[in-house]
Amino acid sequence: QVQLVESGGGLVQPGGSLRLSCAASGSITSINAMGWYRQTPGKQRELVARFTSGGNTNYADSVKGRFTISRDNAKNTVYLQMNGLKPEDTAVYYCQMDVRTPFATTWFVRWGQGTQVTVSS
């Protein structure tokens, strides 16, 4: 059973910074694509930043230049450094990873439980 556990959310003033972490645990052979998404009430979950299967990075236009995604493969962990936060960044942030478990022939998509980020003065 693979689980993703997120941490680092909270309340921050506009212009502030937060760093989100997401660690995968369980029987994992390898991790392919991984990234961060966010969702606000009544809206669809949207991409924030991700590593593609080829190792490239994609960012939503709204966060380019402010957010940085990084990873520690040895720890099966992905991070999201968020600087210059704005009220419109307020959302529940979810991490996502494509994982392969022992003896599996396909990749499984796994999601974290979500962490609330609130940007307000």
Side-chain angles (χ1 to χ4, degrees):
Q1 188 80 1
V2 175
Q3 287 187 320
L4 305 187
V5 179
E6 299 153 351
S7 60
L11 173 63
V12 64
Q13 292 186 342
S17 298
L18 283 175
R19 188 191 193 210
L20 305 183
S21 299
C22 174
S25 62
S27 297
I28 299 171
T29 301
S30 57
I31 299 175
N32 198 4
M34 54 170 60
W36 291 92
Y37 296 73
R38 65 188 181 188
Q39 189 170 22
T40 55
K43 292 189 176 182
Q44 286 191 331
R45 194 171 296 185
E46 63 175 8
L47 171 70
V48 177
R50 70 190 295 262
F51 286 103
T52 68
S53 57
N56 296 317
T57 54
N58 296 141
Y59 290 93
D61 288 342
S62 60
V63 307
K64 284 180 181 177
R66 300 188 297 123
F67 291 10
T68 302
I69 189 171
S70 61
R71 64 196 291 176
D72 185 333
N73 292 329
K75 296 182 179 179
N76 289 337
T77 299
V78 62
Y79 305 95
L80 184 67
Q81 178 66 45
M82 304 185 293
N83 299 328
L85 282 160
K86 304 176 181 180
E88 51 263 42
D89 294 318
T90 296
V92 178
Y93 284 70
Y94 297 89
C95 67
Q96 181 267 320
M97 297 186 187
D98 296 344
V99 304
R100 180 166 284 176
T101 56
F103 310 113
T105 57
T106 60
W107 296 94
F108 297 98
V109 178
R110 290 291 178 262
W111 290 89
Q113 80 283 3
T115 185
Q116 177 71 46
V117 171
T118 302
V119 185
S120 175
S121 56

